[in-house]
């Protein structure tokens, strides 16, 4: 999310403040970013499990779900698809976060 690399933990306030999911090439010769075109957000909180599919990179439509997350909730961003500078679509790895 944003410039956060799969750190594993994030405070509730920090998580709620995120607005987009972004991807970029790490350890690349120059700054090159990908445009995220779609992703799934899976979550587990208070015994409830859910998945929401999103087109684009905005987290805005997920804000009502963010409000349901409690301490130690698990959130997974999966099936992340992005278009790189070369115009080719790629599938990126999973990003997992435990909301503290």
């Amino acid at each position: 999310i944003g410039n956060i690399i799969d750190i594993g933990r994030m405070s509730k306030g920090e998580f709620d403040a995120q607005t987009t999911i972004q991807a970029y090439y790490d350890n690349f010769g120059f700054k090159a970013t990908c445009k995220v075109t779609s992703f799934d957000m899976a979550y587990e909180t208070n015994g409830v499990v859910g998945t929401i599919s999103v087109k684009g990179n905005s987290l805005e439509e997920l804000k009502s779900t963010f409000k349901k997350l409690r301490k130690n909730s698990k959130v997974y961003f999966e099936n992340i698809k992005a278009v790189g500078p070369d115009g080719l679509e790629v599938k990126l790895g999973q990003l997992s976060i435990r909301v503290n």
Side-chain angles (χ1 to χ4, degrees), residues 21 36-43 50-62 65 76-81:
I21 184 169
V36 173
T37 57
S38 65
F39 64 93
D40 296 334
M41 185 186 87
Y43 62 93
T51 301
I52 301 168
S53 296
V54 176
K55 296 280 186 201
N57 71 339
S58 177
L59 298 173
E60 290 305 315
E61 69 182 81
L62 302 173
T65 302
Y76 306 93
F77 293 93
E78 308 171 309
N79 301 316
I80 303 168
K81 294 180 183 173

Side-chain angles (χ1 to χ4, degrees), residues 6-7 21 28 40-41 45 53 56 58 72 84 88 90 96-97 99:
D6 198 4
I7 58 171
I21 184 169
F28 205 63
D40 296 334
M41 185 186 87
T45 186
S53 296
S58 177
N72 291 319
L88 298 176
V90 294
S96 60
I97 298 170
V99 179

